[in-house]
Amino acid sequence: MNTGYRAILAGALLPILLTACTEEAPLPPPESRPVKTMLVGGDIAGDFRQFPGVVDAIQRADLSFRVQGKIIEILVKEGDMVEKDRLLARLDPTDYQIVLNDRKASYTTAKANYDRAKQLLEREAISKVDHDTIRAEYHTAKANLKAAEQDIKYTSLKATFPGYIARRHVENFEEVRRKQTVFTLQDISELEIKIDVPETIMIQLRRSIELGEVTKPKREMYAVFNQIKDIEFPLDLKEVSTKADANTRTFQVTLKMDYPEDYNVLPGMTATVFAEVLASEKDDSVSVLLPVSAVISDAGKNPLVWILDEETLTVSSKPVTVGQMTTDSITVFGIEPGQHIVTAGAAFMREGMKVTLLLTGEQP
Protein backbone atom coordinates (compact mmCIF):
# COMPACT_ATOMS: atom_id res chain seq x y z
CA MET A 1 0.00 0.00 0.00
CA ASN A 2 1.54 3.28 -1.10
CA THR A 3 1.98 6.26 1.15
CA GLY A 4 -0.69 8.39 -0.57
CA TYR A 5 -3.35 5.72 -0.15
CA ARG A 6 -2.51 5.29 3.55
CA ALA A 7 -2.95 9.02 4.07
CA ILE A 8 -6.35 9.03 2.36
CA LEU A 9 -7.53 6.01 4.40
CA ALA A 10 -6.34 7.53 7.66
CA GLY A 11 -8.13 10.79 6.86
CA ALA A 12 -11.37 8.93 6.17
CA LEU A 13 -11.23 6.78 9.34
CA LEU A 14 -10.09 9.50 11.76
CA PRO A 15 -13.49 11.26 12.14
CA ILE A 16 -15.21 7.90 12.70
CA LEU A 17 -12.72 6.89 15.39
CA LEU A 18 -12.95 10.28 17.10
CA THR A 19 -16.75 10.12 17.10
CA ALA A 20 -16.71 6.63 18.56
CA CYS A 21 -14.34 7.70 21.33
CA THR A 22 -16.29 10.82 22.29
CA GLU A 23 -19.78 9.24 22.37
CA GLU A 24 -20.74 8.12 25.90
CA ALA A 25 -22.32 4.73 26.44
CA PRO A 26 -25.94 4.96 27.65
CA LEU A 27 -26.22 4.76 31.46
CA PRO A 28 -27.98 1.69 32.88
CA PRO A 29 -31.31 2.32 34.56
CA PRO A 30 -31.00 2.89 38.33
CA GLU A 31 -31.26 -0.23 40.50
CA SER A 32 -33.67 1.55 42.83
CA ARG A 33 -35.42 4.87 43.31
CA PRO A 34 -34.92 7.03 46.42
CA VAL A 35 -38.16 7.68 48.30
CA LYS A 36 -39.44 9.15 51.51
CA THR A 37 -42.10 7.28 53.50
CA MET A 38 -44.58 7.90 56.29
CA LEU A 39 -45.87 5.38 58.83
CA VAL A 40 -49.67 5.36 59.12
CA GLY A 41 -51.26 4.88 62.51
CA GLY A 42 -48.47 2.98 64.25
CA ASP A 43 -47.56 -0.68 63.90
CA ILE A 44 -50.24 -3.24 64.65
CA ALA A 45 -49.51 -5.98 67.21
CA GLY A 46 -52.66 -8.09 67.70
CA ASP A 47 -55.32 -5.78 69.14
CA PHE A 48 -52.76 -3.10 69.98
CA ARG A 49 -51.10 -0.29 68.08
CA GLN A 50 -47.52 0.46 69.02
CA PHE A 51 -45.63 3.74 68.88
CA PRO A 52 -42.07 4.82 69.77
CA GLY A 53 -42.01 7.03 72.86
CA VAL A 54 -39.57 9.16 74.85
CA VAL A 55 -39.51 9.36 78.65
CA ASP A 56 -39.65 12.76 80.37
CA ALA A 57 -39.87 13.97 83.97
CA ILE A 58 -43.23 15.04 85.36
CA GLN A 59 -41.59 18.32 86.46
CA ARG A 60 -38.25 19.98 85.74
CA ALA A 61 -36.52 23.24 86.65
CA ASP A 62 -33.26 25.01 85.87
CA LEU A 63 -31.97 26.29 89.22
CA SER A 64 -29.88 29.45 89.47
CA PHE A 65 -28.70 31.98 92.06
CA ARG A 66 -30.65 35.23 92.26
CA VAL A 67 -27.41 37.14 92.88
CA GLN A 68 -23.99 36.96 91.25
CA GLY A 69 -20.75 35.85 92.86
CA LYS A 70 -18.14 33.10 93.21
CA ILE A 71 -19.23 29.58 94.12
CA ILE A 72 -17.39 28.39 97.22
CA GLU A 73 -19.20 25.09 97.79
CA ILE A 74 -21.08 22.53 95.70
CA LEU A 75 -22.83 20.00 97.92
CA VAL A 76 -24.42 17.57 95.41
CA LYS A 77 -23.42 15.51 92.39
CA GLU A 78 -25.22 14.66 89.18
CA GLY A 79 -27.66 11.83 89.82
CA ASP A 80 -28.14 12.64 93.53
CA MET A 81 -31.69 12.45 94.88
CA VAL A 82 -32.57 15.54 96.93
CA GLU A 83 -35.48 16.65 99.09
CA LYS A 84 -37.21 20.00 98.91
CA ASP A 85 -35.12 22.86 100.44
CA ARG A 86 -31.95 20.75 100.39
CA LEU A 87 -28.90 23.04 100.20
CA LEU A 88 -27.21 22.47 96.84
CA ALA A 89 -24.50 25.15 96.56
CA ARG A 90 -23.28 28.39 98.17
CA LEU A 91 -21.75 31.65 96.95
CA ASP A 92 -19.09 33.63 98.79
CA PRO A 93 -21.23 35.91 101.03
CA THR A 94 -18.43 38.34 102.07
CA ASP A 95 -19.45 41.30 99.89
CA TYR A 96 -23.11 40.84 100.70
CA GLN A 97 -22.34 40.65 104.42
CA ILE A 98 -20.49 44.00 104.23
CA VAL A 99 -23.52 45.57 102.53
CA LEU A 100 -25.81 44.02 105.15
CA ASN A 101 -23.75 45.46 108.03
CA ASP A 102 -23.86 48.92 106.42
CA ARG A 103 -27.63 48.67 105.92
CA LYS A 104 -28.09 47.62 109.55
CA ALA A 105 -26.19 50.67 110.74
CA SER A 106 -28.20 52.97 108.46
CA TYR A 107 -31.43 51.40 109.65
CA THR A 108 -30.51 51.79 113.32
CA THR A 109 -29.76 55.48 112.82
CA ALA A 110 -32.91 56.09 110.75
CA LYS A 111 -35.10 54.34 113.31
CA ALA A 112 -33.66 56.37 116.18
CA ASN A 113 -34.24 59.60 114.24
CA TYR A 114 -37.79 58.56 113.44
CA ASP A 115 -38.58 57.69 117.08
CA ARG A 116 -37.32 61.11 118.20
CA ALA A 117 -39.24 62.85 115.40
CA LYS A 118 -42.50 61.23 116.57
CA GLN A 119 -41.96 62.54 120.08
CA LEU A 120 -41.05 66.01 118.84
CA LEU A 121 -44.11 66.10 116.62
CA GLU A 122 -46.36 65.30 119.60
CA ARG A 123 -44.86 68.28 121.44
CA GLU A 124 -45.13 70.38 118.27
CA ALA A 125 -41.36 70.89 118.40
CA ILE A 126 -40.92 69.81 114.77
CA SER A 127 -42.86 70.59 111.63
CA LYS A 128 -45.00 67.99 109.92
CA VAL A 129 -42.84 68.29 106.77
CA ASP A 130 -39.62 67.51 108.68
CA HIS A 131 -41.36 64.60 110.41
CA ASP A 132 -42.52 63.15 107.08
CA THR A 133 -39.00 63.47 105.63
CA ILE A 134 -37.48 61.59 108.58
CA ARG A 135 -40.21 58.94 108.36
CA ALA A 136 -39.50 58.43 104.63
CA GLU A 137 -35.77 58.02 105.38
CA TYR A 138 -36.63 55.44 108.02
CA HIS A 139 -38.81 53.38 105.65
CA THR A 140 -36.13 53.57 102.91
CA ALA A 141 -33.49 52.30 105.33
CA LYS A 142 -35.84 49.53 106.43
CA ALA A 143 -36.46 48.43 102.81
CA ASN A 144 -32.73 48.54 102.04
CA LEU A 145 -32.01 46.37 105.08
CA LYS A 146 -34.61 43.83 104.01
CA ALA A 147 -33.11 43.69 100.50
CA ALA A 148 -29.63 43.11 101.93
CA GLU A 149 -30.97 40.31 104.16
CA GLN A 150 -32.58 38.71 101.11
CA ASP A 151 -29.32 38.94 99.13
CA ILE A 152 -27.54 37.03 101.91
CA LYS A 153 -30.20 34.31 101.69
CA TYR A 154 -29.84 34.22 97.91
CA THR A 155 -26.18 33.18 98.25
CA SER A 156 -27.54 29.73 99.17
CA LEU A 157 -29.16 27.66 96.41
CA LYS A 158 -31.80 25.15 97.53
CA ALA A 159 -33.95 22.54 95.79
CA THR A 160 -37.41 23.86 94.95
CA PHE A 161 -39.01 20.38 94.93
CA PRO A 162 -37.97 16.76 95.57
CA GLY A 163 -36.12 15.24 92.63
CA TYR A 164 -32.74 14.30 91.29
CA ILE A 165 -29.89 16.38 89.93
CA ALA A 166 -30.05 15.68 86.21
CA ARG A 167 -27.15 17.97 85.34
CA ARG A 168 -24.61 20.33 86.93
CA HIS A 169 -23.72 23.25 84.64
CA VAL A 170 -20.90 24.94 86.61
CA GLU A 171 -17.71 24.10 88.53
CA ASN A 172 -16.70 24.94 92.07
CA PHE A 173 -15.03 28.37 92.55
CA GLU A 174 -16.52 29.56 89.27
CA GLU A 175 -17.87 33.10 88.97
CA VAL A 176 -21.56 32.92 88.05
CA ARG A 177 -23.98 35.56 86.87
CA ARG A 178 -27.38 36.26 88.31
CA LYS A 179 -29.91 33.72 86.93
CA GLN A 180 -27.17 31.62 85.26
CA THR A 181 -28.26 27.97 85.31
CA VAL A 182 -26.36 25.98 87.93
CA PHE A 183 -28.36 22.73 88.20
CA THR A 184 -31.14 21.03 86.26
CA LEU A 185 -33.53 19.41 88.73
CA GLN A 186 -36.07 16.80 87.63
CA ASP A 187 -38.99 15.33 89.55
CA ILE A 188 -39.37 11.65 88.68
CA SER A 189 -41.97 10.70 91.30
CA GLU A 190 -44.04 10.26 88.13
CA LEU A 191 -42.85 9.99 84.55
CA GLU A 192 -44.27 11.17 81.26
CA ILE A 193 -43.96 9.34 77.97
CA LYS A 194 -44.54 11.34 74.81
CA ILE A 195 -45.60 9.72 71.53
CA ASP A 196 -46.65 11.06 68.11
CA VAL A 197 -49.90 9.78 66.62
CA PRO A 198 -51.82 10.43 63.37
CA GLU A 199 -55.02 12.46 63.22
CA THR A 200 -57.42 9.51 63.55
CA ILE A 201 -55.76 8.25 66.73
CA MET A 202 -55.64 11.80 68.14
CA ILE A 203 -59.40 12.13 67.65
CA GLN A 204 -60.05 8.78 69.34
CA LEU A 205 -57.86 9.64 72.33
CA ARG A 206 -59.43 13.08 72.77
CA ARG A 207 -62.84 11.42 72.65
CA SER A 208 -61.71 9.14 75.49
CA ILE A 209 -60.78 12.21 77.58
CA GLU A 210 -64.01 14.09 76.81
CA LEU A 211 -66.39 11.17 77.37
CA GLY A 212 -64.48 9.56 80.21
CA GLU A 213 -64.80 5.95 81.28
CA VAL A 214 -68.53 6.16 82.08
CA THR A 215 -69.73 6.05 78.48
CA LYS A 216 -66.57 4.68 76.87
CA PRO A 217 -64.44 1.70 78.01
CA LYS A 218 -60.96 2.43 79.29
CA ARG A 219 -58.22 1.90 76.73
CA GLU A 220 -55.39 -0.33 77.95
CA MET A 221 -52.00 1.26 77.40
CA TYR A 222 -48.57 0.18 78.58
CA ALA A 223 -44.88 0.80 77.92
CA VAL A 224 -42.09 -1.68 77.26
CA PHE A 225 -38.37 -0.91 77.57
CA ASN A 226 -35.66 -2.79 75.69
CA GLN A 227 -33.40 -2.94 78.75
CA ILE A 228 -36.19 -4.33 80.98
CA LYS A 229 -37.35 -7.68 79.68
CA ASP A 230 -40.91 -9.01 79.96
CA ILE A 231 -42.26 -6.12 82.07
CA GLU A 232 -45.25 -4.03 81.00
CA PHE A 233 -45.61 -0.65 82.72
CA PRO A 234 -49.23 0.64 82.80
CA LEU A 235 -49.88 4.10 81.36
CA ASP A 236 -52.65 6.67 81.80
CA LEU A 237 -53.62 9.30 79.28
CA LYS A 238 -52.66 12.82 80.41
CA GLU A 239 -53.13 15.21 77.49
CA VAL A 240 -53.48 15.27 73.72
CA SER A 241 -52.23 18.07 71.49
CA THR A 242 -54.59 19.39 68.83
CA LYS A 243 -51.87 21.11 66.76
CA ALA A 244 -50.11 18.94 64.20
CA ASP A 245 -46.36 18.98 63.71
CA ALA A 246 -45.60 20.90 60.53
CA ASN A 247 -43.21 18.25 59.20
CA THR A 248 -44.61 14.89 60.34
CA ARG A 249 -48.31 15.89 60.44
CA THR A 250 -48.69 13.98 63.69
CA PHE A 251 -50.04 15.04 67.09
CA GLN A 252 -48.17 14.71 70.38
CA VAL A 253 -49.80 12.63 73.12
CA THR A 254 -48.54 12.71 76.72
CA LEU A 255 -49.00 9.63 78.92
CA LYS A 256 -48.37 9.24 82.67
CA MET A 257 -46.43 6.40 84.28
CA ASP A 258 -45.68 5.70 87.95
CA TYR A 259 -41.98 5.70 88.71
CA PRO A 260 -40.82 2.06 88.97
CA GLU A 261 -38.88 1.77 92.24
CA ASP A 262 -37.21 -1.50 91.21
CA TYR A 263 -36.04 -0.34 87.78
CA ASN A 264 -33.85 2.48 86.54
CA VAL A 265 -36.09 4.45 84.16
CA LEU A 266 -34.93 8.02 83.57
CA PRO A 267 -35.89 10.97 81.34
CA GLY A 268 -34.46 10.72 77.84
CA MET A 269 -34.82 6.95 77.62
CA THR A 270 -36.89 5.43 74.80
CA ALA A 271 -39.84 3.07 75.10
CA THR A 272 -42.38 1.29 72.94
CA VAL A 273 -45.95 2.26 73.81
CA PHE A 274 -48.80 -0.20 73.17
CA ALA A 275 -52.33 1.25 72.90
CA GLU A 276 -55.35 -1.04 72.72
CA VAL A 277 -57.59 -0.89 69.67
CA LEU A 278 -61.15 -0.84 71.02
CA ALA A 279 -63.80 -3.04 69.42
CA SER A 280 -65.80 0.00 68.31
CA GLU A 281 -62.76 1.28 66.40
CA LYS A 282 -61.91 -1.88 64.46
CA ASP A 283 -64.78 -1.39 62.03
CA ASP A 284 -64.30 2.36 61.66
CA SER A 285 -63.45 3.69 58.23
CA VAL A 286 -59.86 4.76 58.79
CA SER A 287 -58.92 8.10 57.36
CA VAL A 288 -55.37 9.37 57.13
CA LEU A 289 -54.02 12.82 56.41
CA LEU A 290 -51.24 12.53 53.80
CA PRO A 291 -49.16 15.01 51.84
CA VAL A 292 -50.70 15.71 48.43
CA SER A 293 -47.55 14.30 46.82
CA ALA A 294 -48.35 10.83 48.20
CA VAL A 295 -51.53 10.42 46.11
CA ILE A 296 -51.30 9.95 42.33
CA SER A 297 -53.68 8.76 39.60
CA ASP A 298 -53.56 5.58 37.53
CA ALA A 299 -54.32 5.41 33.78
CA GLY A 300 -58.04 5.59 34.55
CA LYS A 301 -57.65 8.72 36.70
CA ASN A 302 -58.32 6.70 39.89
CA PRO A 303 -56.38 7.76 43.01
CA LEU A 304 -53.79 5.42 44.48
CA VAL A 305 -50.84 5.37 46.84
CA TRP A 306 -47.68 3.28 46.93
CA ILE A 307 -47.14 0.92 49.87
CA LEU A 308 -43.61 0.00 50.93
CA ASP A 309 -42.77 -3.62 51.81
CA GLU A 310 -40.33 -3.28 54.71
CA GLU A 311 -38.62 -6.63 54.13
CA THR A 312 -37.99 -6.44 50.38
CA LEU A 313 -37.94 -2.63 50.08
CA THR A 314 -40.26 -2.87 47.09
CA VAL A 315 -43.47 -0.95 46.43
CA SER A 316 -46.96 -1.93 45.39
CA SER A 317 -49.91 0.28 44.45
CA LYS A 318 -53.12 0.48 46.47
CA PRO A 319 -56.33 2.17 45.27
CA VAL A 320 -57.76 4.62 47.80
CA THR A 321 -60.67 6.98 48.27
CA VAL A 322 -59.83 10.62 48.80
CA GLY A 323 -61.63 13.21 50.89
CA GLN A 324 -61.06 16.84 51.70
CA MET A 325 -57.89 18.43 50.29
CA THR A 326 -56.03 21.54 51.43
CA THR A 327 -53.06 23.31 49.89
CA ASP A 328 -50.54 20.65 50.87
CA SER A 329 -52.50 17.75 52.42
CA ILE A 330 -55.32 15.38 51.55
CA THR A 331 -57.57 13.02 53.54
CA VAL A 332 -57.33 9.42 52.32
CA PHE A 333 -59.54 6.41 53.15
CA GLY A 334 -58.65 2.75 52.74
CA ILE A 335 -55.16 2.57 54.22
CA GLU A 336 -54.50 0.13 57.06
CA PRO A 337 -52.62 1.31 60.16
CA GLY A 338 -49.03 0.16 60.24
CA GLN A 339 -48.37 0.63 56.53
CA HIS A 340 -45.53 2.75 55.15
CA ILE A 341 -46.73 5.13 52.44
CA VAL A 342 -44.41 6.69 49.87
CA THR A 343 -44.73 10.46 50.27
CA ALA A 344 -41.87 11.65 48.04
CA GLY A 345 -41.08 10.02 44.69
CA ALA A 346 -44.52 8.45 44.22
CA ALA A 347 -44.84 9.77 40.67
CA PHE A 348 -41.84 7.66 39.55
CA MET A 349 -42.93 4.33 41.04
CA ARG A 350 -43.94 1.19 39.20
CA GLU A 351 -45.26 -2.11 40.48
CA GLY A 352 -42.61 -4.14 42.32
CA MET A 353 -39.92 -1.46 41.98
CA LYS A 354 -37.10 -1.66 44.51
CA VAL A 355 -36.48 1.58 46.41
CA THR A 356 -34.05 3.10 48.86
CA LEU A 357 -35.06 5.35 51.73
CA LEU A 358 -33.84 8.92 51.80
CA LEU A 359 -31.78 9.81 54.86
CA THR A 360 -34.37 12.45 55.71
CA GLY A 361 -37.17 9.96 55.36
CA GLU A 362 -38.52 7.46 57.80
CA GLN A 363 -36.59 4.28 58.42
CA PRO A 364 -39.02 1.40 58.89
Side-chain angles (χ1 to χ4, degrees):
M1 184 180 295
N2 59 43
T3 304
Y5 182 76
R6 287 197 188 97
I8 294 172
L9 182 60
L13 291 177
L14 183 58
I16 299 175
L17 293 174
L18 291 176
T19 302
C21 292
T22 56
E23 287 184 355
E24 295 183 0
L27 295 175
E31 295 183 1
S32 62
R33 284 276 188 181
V35 298
K36 183 178 179 181
T37 66
M38 169 182 171
L39 176 63
V40 174
D43 297 325
I44 296 295
D47 289 333
F48 286 81
R49 289 191 178 98
Q50 64 184 54
F51 304 89
V54 178
V55 180
D56 199 1
I58 197 74
Q59 184 179 197
R60 65 169 63 235
D62 288 332
L63 304 183
S64 59
F65 289 102
R66 297 180 66 173
V67 293
Q68 64 182 20
K70 182 173 73 175
I71 297 177
I72 58 171
E73 191 174 18
I74 293 179
L75 301 169
V76 292
K77 305 183 300 296
E78 290 184 354
D80 283 355
M81 299 296 299
V82 297
E83 296 298 323
K84 182 179 179 181
D85 294 329
R86 163 80 181 274
L87 182 62
L88 307 179
R90 293 194 307 117
L91 294 179
D92 183 355
T94 303
D95 292 340
Y96 296 101
Q97 186 64 53
I98 293 173
V99 173
L100 177 61
N101 294 339
D102 178 69
R103 300 281 175 83
K104 283 181 177 179
S106 298
Y107 171 76
T108 300
T109 301
K111 186 176 186 305
N113 291 337
Y114 179 49
D115 290 340
R116 285 193 295 270
K118 286 190 293 183
Q119 296 174 1
L120 293 173
L121 182 65
E122 291 174 357
R123 297 197 301 267
E124 297 183 353
I126 188 176
S127 68
K128 186 70 167 58
V129 173
D130 290 339
H131 169 270
D132 291 344
T133 301
I134 295 172
R135 183 180 65 176
E137 292 172 351
Y138 161 71
H139 284 293
T140 299
K142 184 178 180 180
N144 290 338
L145 174 60
K146 186 175 181 179
E149 291 172 341
Q150 286 296 112
D151 286 345
I152 283 288
K153 292 180 181 179
Y154 291 155
T155 60
S156 296
L157 184 61
K158 297 181 179 181
T160 52
F161 54 80
Y164 85 103
I165 304 299
R167 187 177 178 187
R168 175 169 57 85
H169 299 268
V170 298
E171 299 295 335
N172 204 8
F173 306 113
E174 182 178 335
E175 291 280 349
V176 295
R177 303 182 306 276
R178 177 175 174 266
K179 294 187 178 181
Q180 178 182 341
T181 300
V182 177
F183 297 104
T184 296
L185 180 65
Q186 295 184 337
D187 178 6
I188 55 173
S189 56
E190 279 188 327
L191 296 172
E192 293 181 348
I193 297 183
K194 300 182 185 295
I195 61 175
D196 294 322
V197 304
E199 181 183 19
T200 52
I201 308 299
M202 180 274 290
I203 294 173
Q204 294 164 4
L205 292 176
R206 284 197 62 82
R207 192 180 305 161
S208 298
I209 293 177
E210 293 168 358
L211 297 179
E213 299 177 19
V214 177
T215 57
K216 191 173 182 66
K218 183 177 180 180
R219 185 189 308 273
E220 182 182 355
M221 292 183 288
Y222 60 88
V224 174
F225 298 89
N226 290 335
Q227 69 276 19
I228 304 174
K229 302 298 183 182
D230 303 322
I231 302 294
E232 298 175 355
F233 297 92
L235 301 172
D236 290 315
L237 187 61
K238 181 180 180 181
E239 58 186 15
V240 180
S241 171
T242 56
K243 183 177 181 180
D245 183 275
N247 296 320
T248 63
R249 304 177 188 280
T250 56
F251 298 80
Q252 187 174 85
V253 174
T254 303
L255 308 166
K256 289 191 303 182
M257 170 182 154
D258 292 334
Y259 181 77
E261 298 292 342
D262 299 330
Y263 301 97
N264 192 29
V265 178
L266 297 174
M269 295 174 63
T270 58
T272 301
V273 172
F274 290 82
E276 181 185 11
V277 180
L278 301 178
S280 60
E281 298 168 353
K282 294 179 182 178
D283 298 329
D284 287 349
S285 177
V286 178
S287 66
V288 179
L289 193 65
L290 295 178
V292 172
S293 59
V295 182
I296 63 173
S297 299
D298 61 15
K301 304 299 182 181
N302 300 309
L304 62 85
V305 296
W306 291 98
I307 308 294
L308 173 68
D309 186 310
E310 301 176 40
E311 295 183 359
T312 63
L313 286 181
T314 57
V315 294
S316 58
S317 61
K318 181 176 180 60
V320 293
T321 303
V322 296
Q324 184 176 3
M325 183 173 67
T326 62
T327 304
D328 54 2
S329 63
I330 185 170
T331 302
V332 176
F333 297 87
I335 300 176
E336 298 178 6
Q339 292 182 322
H340 290 265
I341 309 300
V342 175
T343 57
F348 304 100
M349 298 295 98
R350 64 174 183 271
E351 201 70 33
M353 174 181 279
K354 191 171 183 61
V355 299
T356 55
L357 298 180
L358 292 172
L359 293 179
T360 55
E362 177 185 309
Q363 302 295 325

